[in-house]
Amino acid sequence: MSINSTSSKGSNKLENILVIGNGGRENSLAWAFQKNELVKKIYLIPGNAGSERINKCERIKIDINNNNALIEKLDLLKIDLIVIGPEIPLANGLADFLRKNNYKVFGPGKEGAKLESSKSWAKEFMRDANIPTAKFWKVNSLEEAAKIILSSPMPLVVKADGLASGKGVFIPDSKDECLRATESIFNGKFGNSGNVVVLEEKIQGPEVSVFALCDGKKYILLPTAQDHKRLNEKDTGPNTGGMGAYSPAPLITHDYLDKIIQDIIEPTINELNRKNIDYKGVIYFGLMITKSGPKVIEYNCRFGDPECQTIMPLMDPNFVFLLEKCSMGNLTGKEKINTSNNVSGCVIATSKGYPHEYKTGFPIKIGKVDSNGCQIFDSGTSLSKNGELLTDGGRVLSIVCQDKNFDMVFDKAYKNLKEISFEGIYFRNDIGHQVRKNYSMEI
Ligand code: AMP
Ligand code: GLY
């Protein structure tokens, strides 16, 4: 893979990188970038307390919505590549604005981000391109929804159309619950994100996350991953942003991945092109493997969290060049992603109460952790005035390990977790249960 590239700002370097976002995902990206010896400095806006523990990293305090101040700062720092982590700035068009100012950006513009920011838009997109997904109805009022819900022979899922921090999906057990969920969305539970509701056929099967790095025309795939969305063990309790993950997902064999590419990934890229959307960033395919084949549950316009923390340690130091190539529209589509032969797993430690209300500001104690093939990426932390590490989010720490097999990975992760404490710490003990031979659900 070529490592020479010309920045749209005129430099031949990839010395200074900016990562936008403040979670475990962004810290793991920064950590993957610092491995490349050509990278001199990684700035994070705003990052979190863990960012500065990462080699070459520095946090910048600036409001990303203050356009003039942002560009002034980026010019001053001579930023060569910008990677935007979260969906909200992407949906607000930050990538378009930065590109207009001649920056190389990894992250789709506002149009491409609609894959995530409007579920009805994404469903219509899939319908237009004949991409397998659950049946759906876009509705604008409770009356319209009630007709569909009451006459539906199959169970339905209810979704707020717009962004809702991962909380806008309801999986009701009855028609009555379905109606109540719809009503709560139309009554403003998610503000304008709930002006439109999408009702979907409820489908079944294991879920898998697939990530395609795109340069507008070409793409390459990262290793697959499986997330654990539910809060509690045995995959019960409310949905969360993700309680842990593992990669790669053995469920997806080579042949099955070919089917996913043919039925879902290529039609998605082709449809983006047909719609003249120049998508430079990652497309996250949230898939369900049903009896009738893979179906798209959702698209996201960003890396998954915690899938990103899980996958980044498997990447070689040239990973950052792939993102740069995407940002410049320079992928050949034949680049080999050199991944380690190891597998990786991540367990998330959360604040008590997450994904509902929780308190922050509790001191975090980290004892003697094994750092051999292990990382701790801060997901939601801050520093007190005297430098003590504090909880500062629902998801607090991502404990990630790599080894030859998943039993070794999760043994190390859970051993490290024993060394970590803060008031109300919560984590699932069964992350990776699908792939741990030494774990029994009955334990
Ligand atoms: P989303 O935010 O769209 O990823 O949805 C969150 C979770 O809800 C998914 O990971 C699935 O577990 C579940 N879900 C979403 N849509 C459906 C569906 N049509 N059928 C069954 N489960 C679904
Ligand atoms: N882990 C799921 C997500 O990032 O949406």
Side-chain angles (χ1 to χ4, degrees):
M1 187 190 308
S2 157
I3 54 169
N4 292 316
S5 57
T6 305
S7 145
S8 40
K9 278 283 177 184
S11 86
N12 268 329
K13 298 174 190 149
L14 190 54
E15 288 188 353
N16 299 313
I17 302 181
L18 170 70
V19 177
I20 293 176
N22 70 346
R25 168 181 52 209
E26 287 75 22
N27 280 331
S28 70
L29 286 167
W31 179 87
F33 300 160
Q34 59 79 36
K35 286 196 205 168
N36 190 297
E37 59 184 22
L38 296 184
V39 173
K40 299 267 181 305
K41 192 94 195 170
I42 301 151
Y43 298 97
L44 289 103
I45 301 179
N48 64 33
S51 308
E52 292 190 358
R53 292 202 310 272
I54 300 170
N55 192 19
K56 308 180 190 174
C57 285
E58 185 180 323
R59 297 176 68 187
I60 305 283
K61 257 197 202 155
I62 196 166
D63 176 4
I64 54 166
N65 298 311
N66 184 340
N67 290 351
N68 291 340
L70 182 62
I71 292 298
E72 213 172 286
K73 188 75 180 175
L74 302 187
D75 285 349
L76 195 71
L77 297 174
K78 298 192 166 42
I79 295 295
D80 298 307
L81 173 68
I82 302 169
V83 178
I84 304 177
E87 64 278 17
I88 292 178
L90 292 166
N92 288 341
L94 181 61
D96 302 301
F97 167 72
L98 294 169
R99 280 193 193 103
K100 270 198 199 111
N101 281 275
N102 294 320
Y103 277 96
K104 288 188 288 182
V105 184
F106 182 84
K110 193 174 183 149
E111 271 299 295
K114 276 193 192 158
L115 281 180
E116 176 165 2
S117 67
S118 169
K119 292 199 188 284
S120 60
W121 190 88
K123 292 299 273 190
E124 283 163 359
F125 176 99
M126 287 184 258
R127 189 185 54 200
D128 293 349
N130 214 5
I131 292 168
T133 187
K135 283 203 189 86
F136 77 102
W137 296 262
K138 175 183 178 183
V139 289
N140 294 298
S141 71
L142 183 58
E143 293 68 41
E144 212 184 317
K147 276 191 203 142
I148 294 159
I149 294 168
L150 295 173
S151 63
S152 171
M154 57 190 146
L156 299 176
V157 171
V158 183
K159 300 184 175 183
D161 187 56
L163 295 178
S165 313
K167 294 180 186 148
V169 175
F170 295 85
I171 321 261
D173 285 326
S174 65
K175 284 187 190 277
D176 193 41
E177 225 182 276
C178 199
L179 283 168
R180 274 187 281 128
T182 310
E183 188 174 21
S184 74
I185 299 176
F186 280 127
N187 280 348
K189 193 177 170 85
F190 304 107
N192 287 339
S193 287
N195 290 347
V196 170
V197 164
V198 174
L199 298 172
E200 268 181 39
E201 165 200 15
K202 184 175 172 181
I203 55 176
Q204 275 179 337
E207 290 176 50
V208 65
S209 310
V210 178
F211 300 95
L213 307 179
C214 307
D215 79 339
K217 296 265 183 293
K218 304 255 172 42
Y219 70 92
I220 44 172
L221 297 182
L222 292 184
T224 54
Q226 259 183 289
D227 183 15
H228 295 62
K229 289 232 166 76
R230 301 295 197 98
L231 178 67
N232 300 322
E233 280 155 29
K234 299 190 179 171
D235 296 317
T236 58
N239 264 326
T240 68
M243 296 296 291
Y246 59 88
S247 174
L251 175 71
I252 305 302
T253 59
H254 199 273
D255 286 351
Y256 205 84
L257 187 61
D258 281 345
K259 180 170 175 57
I260 291 173
I261 291 173
Q262 211 176 5
D263 294 358
I264 293 175
I265 294 172
E266 303 227 322
T268 300
I269 308 280
N270 292 342
E271 185 63 13
L272 284 166
N273 279 318
R274 207 181 63 79
K275 289 190 155 57
N276 284 323
I277 297 176
D278 184 22
Y279 196 107
K280 290 182 163 60
V282 60
I283 306 177
Y284 166 158
F285 298 83
L287 306 179
M288 199 169 255
I289 309 304
T290 72
K291 283 198 180 117
S292 55
K295 292 192 175 172
V296 178
I297 283 281
E298 62 164 349
Y299 288 116
N300 291 313
C301 61
R302 54 175 173 82
F303 289 105
D305 183 332
E307 293 98 319
C308 189
Q309 295 93 302
T310 314
I311 294 171
M312 284 308 115
L314 299 177
M315 298 290 111
D316 83 356
N318 285 335
F319 172 69
V320 65
F321 294 130
L322 294 175
L323 303 198
E324 191 201 28
K325 282 183 155 206
C326 289
S327 76
M328 297 190 298
N330 272 353
L331 272 186
T332 64
K334 302 219 179 330
E335 288 85 353
K336 284 267 166 291
I337 298 194
N338 293 323
T339 58
S340 129
N341 288 328
N342 283 343
V343 297
S344 184
C346 168
V347 183
I348 298 284
T350 71
S351 296
K352 183 179 170 190
Y354 172 80
H356 307 299
E357 268 179 36
Y358 54 84
K359 292 195 178 124
T360 58
F362 297 113
I364 302 172
K365 301 269 171 285
I366 302 184
K368 224 173 153 243
V369 292
D370 179 358
S371 58
N372 186 16
C374 292
Q375 308 77 33
I376 298 176
F377 297 122
D378 291 28
S379 292
T381 62
S382 61
L383 288 180
S384 72
K385 282 200 186 89
N386 42 19
E388 194 178 21
L389 190 63
L390 303 175
T391 65
D392 194 24
R395 293 190 288 179
V396 179
L397 296 173
S398 309
I399 290 82
V400 191
C401 294
Q402 300 78 48
D403 218 313
K404 289 195 193 68
N405 62 51
F406 286 114
D407 283 325
M408 292 161 90
V409 160
F410 285 103
D411 283 351
K412 279 204 287 193
Y414 284 109
K415 198 164 136 245
N416 276 351
L417 262 159
K418 287 203 178 106
E419 298 291 323
I420 297 171
S421 59
F422 54 84
E423 192 170 319
I425 185 171
Y426 176 77
F427 54 88
R428 280 177 57 165
N429 279 295
D430 68 342
I431 300 299
H433 60 80
Q434 302 93 324
V435 288
R436 283 158 71 186
K437 295 201 173 66
N438 68 3
Y439 182 83
S440 153
M441 277 292 223
E442 306 313 319
I443 287 176

